[in-house]
Amino acid sequence: MELNGSQILLRALMNEGVDTIFGYPGGSILDIHDELFKSSFKHILVRHEQGAAHAADGYARSSGKVGVCLVTSGPGATNTVTGIATAYMDSIPMVIVTGQVPTPFIGTDAFQEVDITGITRPCTKHNFLVRHIDELANTVREAFYIARSGRPGPVLIDLPKDVMRAMTEYREPVSPSQGSAEPVYLPDAGPLTETVNLIKKAKKPVLLIGGGVIHGRATAELIEFAHKVNIPVTSTLMGLGGFPGTDPLWMGMLGMHGTYYANMAISDCDLLITVGVRFSDRVTGRLATFASNATIVQIDIDATSINKNVLVHIPIVSDCRSALIQLNALLDRNGLEKIREGREDWITRIGEWRTEGPMSYCQGEAIKPQCVIETLYRMTKGDAIVATEVGQNQMWAAQFFRFDKPNTFLTSGGLGTMGYGFPAAIGAQVAFPDRLVVDIAGDGSIQMNIQELATAVNYKLPVKVVILNNGYLGMVRQWQELFYEKRYANTGIGGQVPDFVKLAEAYGALGLRAVKPGEVEATLAKGLEHPGPVLMDFVVEAEEKVFPMVNPGASLTDMKLSSGIGM
Amino acid sequence: MDVQEHTISLLVHNKPDVLARIAGTFSGRGYNIENISANVTMNPKITKITIVTVGTQATMVQVENQLKKLVDVIQATHMKSRESVRREMVLVTVGGDREKVMKAVGELGCRVLKEKPDHFVLEVTGSKEEIDQALTYLETLDMKDMSRSGMVVL
Ligand SMILES: Cc1ncc(C[n+]2csc(CCOP(=O)(O)OP(=O)(O)O)c2C)c(N)n1
Ligand SMILES: [Mg+2]
């Protein structure tokens, strides 16, 4: 039987296991929507295409599945670009389907024509312009394969309207292969043996994990490994949840706003084993002093991550999980007892640093943002999927909530996209309708995709938004305070504009506000209990800062622990 | 570290956007293309691209790995100069005295492609060094224009 392009697209998506699509319609994808109407796909209609892209991303991060987003040509397509770049920087598997003007019109500046494959070439893992219906089924198969395999990432498929209307016989797609881009999954034996020997000799080892542990589903193997050899663990922002935040070996996040003890430990260690880390500048601080006493072993599936920023001694190009399984097997054949015992001094030293510079803050008259997060953690017992916006709110969430499971912390790390958290939380709530999903937000960021309140209300998605309302673009203000002599140029955003409670109500959601420390718990209790979407406005200390802080380009040991105190 | 010239040979799918992807990989990561040549191979669906670039050995490893990550790149090889044969071509328009030009043709072993009363078009093929030498020589004549190819390597 002959099918049209739209039918082939949906069939090919179904073959990939897709049942949910985030999108927004328009002229060039009317045919696809017409087929969707007759199908069993769940299409979540957002209010802005950026929201669709972030929602597909949140769906992917929380579920580990490929997130799918469908938008029209021209402005629909360009509106997804921030979402695509966000996913690309954090290696999130996504397929973005964009409409395109009919093939004979391409290149004529037709109405709503934009060269979206050209625009997204540097921020997709790959992209396709499908010029003929016979390529369609194979292209969809290839797109999903590329999005999922190796280091995951977003893939865009641009579909001209005439291709969607053409007819052809449906043929099962062939298995793709990626030539030189085909990832290496299994590690070489040599460097693994070397690593085991280094572990045996090391007096002060540290494990540093990143997002690769989560993408590679390597948490169980990582926990086994860390405990087998008794090595303390720190993580990048992207790795949070990859190792339990309540484990005794856990040191918290490192880097610019990392814990004092993690930053001290990494600077003093003699062996650094990294798993799924790409050494962002926010993590390393000054490169010359980063782990400068250590032999560095780097496990990563992407060969371009190796020696890009930090020169490593033992590179292991491999899927994280395979490498850890093999390391664990090798270690079992060695005298582990001895390795474990030798660690006492080092663990004690880290304990001393923890006492010297604990994660803390001072209570005051106003609500402290950190206190809101701690209370949220206590009340939920950590059993939640937490998305964040960007800025101070994001860092406090990373510092004061403990993530015990992978795929429970959704945050824009690489791109730092304000407006990411709320739509991402919506995507996660679609993937897990019965779980508690919270977006920890700033008063600035939440306004970047606030329109998605309508989506949450319409689909009865009970996302809880916790706004840490400091009346400022707080993180930028913090830099102005520290580096620009308190000239707060264009960072004051007023606090009470808009009235978030009334705004929530206008959308048909519940709005709550807390202004005194004593109200935090009751407000959270009421908000978390409510069966629908809630916006909670916590009016917090306006000029609170995120500490510890390593100034950009400074060494990790060069931390400010609180206003005026350097260490 | 030592900054040197390096030659990368690529086999890629012959698709309209493949050059843009490769050029984008260079520009986006801050590497420069010194010269480039591209044409189909014995298999018309596959194009061979030769790129000469300048950088340290470590940068070259990054460049090569970045190129390998492109889905349409089938193979990326960093060509070692000792093991490969390299050729470039240059077309030169020179004017002036016929006798002097013919002397140059004889000494450089180049071909005369066109002869007009007031100018000649010459072709020189050779290694990069031979081409450089030829050009230095021809510049002493009345050189009016030239067009130099990228490098081809086997
Ligand atoms: C889309 C976008 N624009 C600008 C920035 C720069 N930026 C980083 S943090 C920040 C302030 C965020 O303010 P808010 O959401 O209120 O969070 P706070 O830091 O106050 O918690 C800004 C403007 C950004 N990260 N993303
Ligand atoms: Mg703010």
Side-chain angles (χ1 to χ4, degrees):
Chain A
M1 195 183 67
E2 290 216 317
L3 299 180
N4 66 36
S6 308
Q7 290 165 332
I8 290 177
L9 171 70
L10 295 193
R11 186 141 163 197
L13 289 175
M14 208 174 290
N15 278 347
E16 299 300 326
V18 176
D19 55 16
T20 305
I21 298 172
F22 300 88
Y24 206 84
S28 69
I29 54 167
L30 272 167
D31 294 282
I32 304 174
H33 275 273
D34 197 48
E35 288 304 330
L36 276 175
F37 191 75
K38 304 174 206 157
S39 77
S40 62
F41 279 92
K42 188 197 285 174
H43 179 277
I44 305 288
L45 177 65
V46 294
R47 291 297 177 275
H48 186 302
E49 289 89 349
Q50 185 187 355
H54 291 324
D57 172 316
Y59 179 91
R61 286 191 212 226
S62 59
S63 69
K65 293 193 251 178
V66 179
V68 179
C69 143
L70 170 66
V71 298
T72 194
S73 67
T78 53
N79 270 350
T80 64
V81 172
T82 302
I84 296 172
T86 302
Y88 182 68
M89 286 293 269
D90 292 343
S91 311
I92 305 306
M94 250 165 73
V95 170
I96 305 92
V97 180
T98 53
Q100 182 55 282
V101 300
T103 44
F105 288 87
I106 291 179
T108 66
D109 298 329
F111 179 61
Q112 295 195 330
E113 179 190 357
V114 75
D115 176 12
I116 196 64
T117 49
I119 289 173
T120 59
R121 210 173 278 133
C123 63
T124 50
K125 199 173 163 191
H126 193 63
N127 60 25
F128 298 92
L129 168 60
V130 181
R131 287 183 176 272
H132 198 277
I133 189 168
D134 290 337
E135 302 164 9
L136 181 56
N138 276 343
T139 302
V140 174
R141 163 62 52 89
E142 213 182 326
F144 277 80
Y145 179 78
I146 293 168
R148 289 186 185 113
S149 62
R151 178 176 177 177
V155 179
L156 182 140
I157 309 176
D158 199 19
L159 295 178
K161 182 156 177 158
D162 55 328
V163 175
M164 290 298 92
R165 300 180 75 112
M167 306 283 294
T168 195
E169 203 70 43
Y170 180 80
R171 271 188 229 97
E172 279 305 318
V174 294
S175 293
S177 95
Q178 289 184 77
S180 67
E182 197 59 51
V184 174
Y185 287 102
L186 293 176
D188 291 337
L192 291 179
T193 316
E194 263 181 275
T195 305
V196 169
N197 290 336
L198 286 168
I199 293 173
K200 283 199 217 158
K201 274 187 273 169
K203 299 242 163 356
K204 302 186 284 183
V206 166
L207 243 170
L208 165 59
I209 65 164
V213 168
I214 294 167
H215 304 313
R217 294 164 214 221
T219 294
E221 291 74 15
L222 179 76
I223 297 172
E224 185 189 335
F225 176 69
H227 282 277
K228 227 186 249 306
V229 289
N230 208 13
I231 301 187
V233 183
T234 181
S235 165
T236 68
L237 182 69
M238 300 317 299
L240 293 180
F243 188 82
T246 50
D247 192 290
L249 288 173
W250 175 244
M251 295 191 288
M253 180 173 78
L254 87 163
M256 182 173 274
H257 294 298
T259 64
Y260 174 69
Y261 30 105
N263 282 345
M264 293 307 282
I266 207 127
S267 305
D268 196 43
C269 71
D270 61 1
L271 173 64
L272 176 63
I273 302 175
T274 74
V275 191
V277 167
R278 66 181 174 84
F279 295 108
S280 140
D281 52 282
R282 289 296 188 260
V283 164
T284 61
R286 193 169 159 236
L287 282 171
T289 53
F290 176 76
S292 47
N293 302 317
T295 306
I296 305 180
V297 177
Q298 182 182 8
I299 302 172
D300 203 281
I301 195 153
D302 181 359
T304 63
S305 290
I306 296 198
N307 290 338
K308 182 176 64 181
N309 302 336
V310 169
L311 293 180
V312 301
H313 306 87
I314 313 227
I316 302 177
V317 179
S318 162
D319 163 51
C320 298
R321 191 161 165 265
S322 311
L324 288 168
I325 289 174
Q326 298 201 17
L327 276 173
N328 284 335
L330 279 175
L331 284 164
D332 283 339
R333 284 184 241 133
N334 285 270
L336 288 172
E337 290 309 313
K338 244 174 126 186
I339 300 181
R340 266 198 297 255
E341 274 166 24
R343 292 282 181 272
E344 291 314 315
D345 289 354
W346 178 230
I347 301 226
T348 309
R349 183 76 191 100
I350 291 169
E352 286 163 12
W353 281 321
R354 195 185 291 249
T355 323
E356 259 171 56
M359 286 308 298
S360 62
Y361 57 94
C362 305
Q363 294 289 355
E365 297 277 289
I367 300 174
K368 285 295 173 109
Q370 302 93 327
C371 164
V372 178
I373 310 235
E374 272 189 342
T375 312
L376 176 70
Y377 176 68
R378 181 162 44 78
M379 292 175 71
T380 58
K381 301 185 183 67
D383 186 15
I385 296 174
V386 175
T388 77
E389 301 295 340
V390 166
Q392 296 180 314
N393 59 85
Q394 177 185 34
M395 291 300 115
W396 285 318
Q399 291 176 331
F400 289 92
F401 203 95
R402 285 167 180 255
F403 299 94
D404 269 336
K405 300 247 161 65
N407 308 96
T408 58
F409 183 54
L410 322 177
T411 199
S412 168
L415 202 66
T417 308
M418 290 172 69
Y420 166 80
F422 183 39
I426 287 177
Q429 190 79 75
V430 170
F432 297 97
D434 299 326
R435 291 200 59 181
L436 172 62
V437 182
V438 182
D439 175 37
I440 295 175
D443 47 332
S445 302
I446 192 63
Q447 294 186 62
M448 286 219 175
N449 275 312
I450 191 80
Q451 76 286 347
E452 299 308 331
L453 260 176
T455 311
V457 169
N458 275 357
Y459 290 95
K460 301 191 167 55
L461 298 167
V463 171
K464 314 294 183 231
V465 182
V466 171
I467 304 175
L468 304 176
N469 188 345
N470 50 14
Y472 280 109
L473 303 174
M475 186 57 95
V476 183
R477 188 208 60 77
Q478 174 166 343
W479 284 47
Q480 289 171 330
E481 179 178 337
L482 299 174
F483 311 127
Y484 294 86
E485 292 156 347
K486 300 199 181 188
R487 289 185 299 276
Y488 297 156
N490 298 305
T491 44
I493 52 172
Q496 296 316 309
V497 186
D499 180 329
F500 286 113
V501 173
K502 283 193 189 147
L503 186 72
E505 284 163 1
Y507 274 103
L510 176 65
L512 300 170
R513 178 172 296 124
V515 291
K516 292 199 219 94
E519 296 166 355
V520 170
E521 187 154 344
T523 307
L524 279 171
K526 199 165 166 198
L528 295 177
E529 256 165 40
H530 183 72
V534 184
L535 217 57
M536 287 170 259
D537 182 20
F538 292 89
V539 179
V540 298
E541 178 77 55
E543 302 206 0
E544 187 71 12
K545 290 183 286 298
V546 181
F547 291 115
M549 178 167 188
V550 178
N551 287 357
S555 301
L556 290 186
T557 48
D558 206 359
M559 277 170 274
K560 266 199 196 65
L561 295 189
S562 62
S563 292
I565 306 172
M567 286 197 85
Chain B
M1 252 193 278
D2 252 10
V3 175
Q4 274 180 339
E5 221 172 67
H6 298 268
T7 309
I8 295 174
S9 176
L10 299 168
L11 289 180
V12 305
H13 292 293
N14 183 5
K15 290 185 182 168
D17 56 359
V18 72
L19 251 183
R21 289 181 198 282
I22 290 164
T25 300
F26 274 81
S27 65
R29 305 237 164 223
Y31 320 133
N32 193 33
I33 294 178
E34 291 296 310
N35 71 62
I36 183 166
S37 80
N39 215 327
V40 289
T41 58
M42 285 154 69
N43 176 350
K45 286 184 172 164
I46 294 177
T47 299
K48 179 178 249 183
I49 302 180
T50 308
I51 296 176
V52 177
T53 176
V54 169
T56 62
Q57 190 62 35
T59 310
M60 275 322 108
V61 175
Q62 276 295 319
V63 173
E64 198 183 323
N65 284 335
Q66 289 290 356
L67 291 170
K68 280 183 180 162
K69 252 168 70 165
L70 297 175
V71 170
D72 284 325
V73 170
I74 302 159
Q75 206 185 78
T77 322
H78 185 181
M79 304 297 281
K80 303 274 175 309
S81 47
R82 258 174 283 129
E83 291 147 31
S84 54
V85 181
R86 296 144 187 261
R87 280 292 177 270
E88 284 179 37
M89 181 199 271
V90 65
L91 302 180
V92 185
T93 308
V94 285
D97 183 43
R98 184 168 199 281
E99 213 167 296
K100 276 191 185 158
V101 173
M102 284 309 147
K103 185 162 170 262
V105 168
E107 283 182 24
L108 297 171
C110 52
R111 291 170 60 188
V112 181
L113 300 182
K114 203 179 192 182
E115 185 170 349
K116 283 278 155 76
D118 63 335
H119 72 270
F120 301 81
V121 178
L122 310 181
E123 174 201 310
V124 190
T125 308
S127 67
K128 178 179 156 36
E129 292 72 27
E130 285 166 334
I131 304 273
D132 285 343
Q133 277 166 17
L135 285 174
T136 313
Y137 186 122
L138 291 170
E139 270 164 14
T140 64
L141 305 180
D142 180 18
M143 192 163 115
K144 295 181 188 306
D145 199 5
M146 68 124 168
S147 176
R148 185 168 176 168
S149 76
M151 186 182 284
V152 290
V153 180
L154 203 62

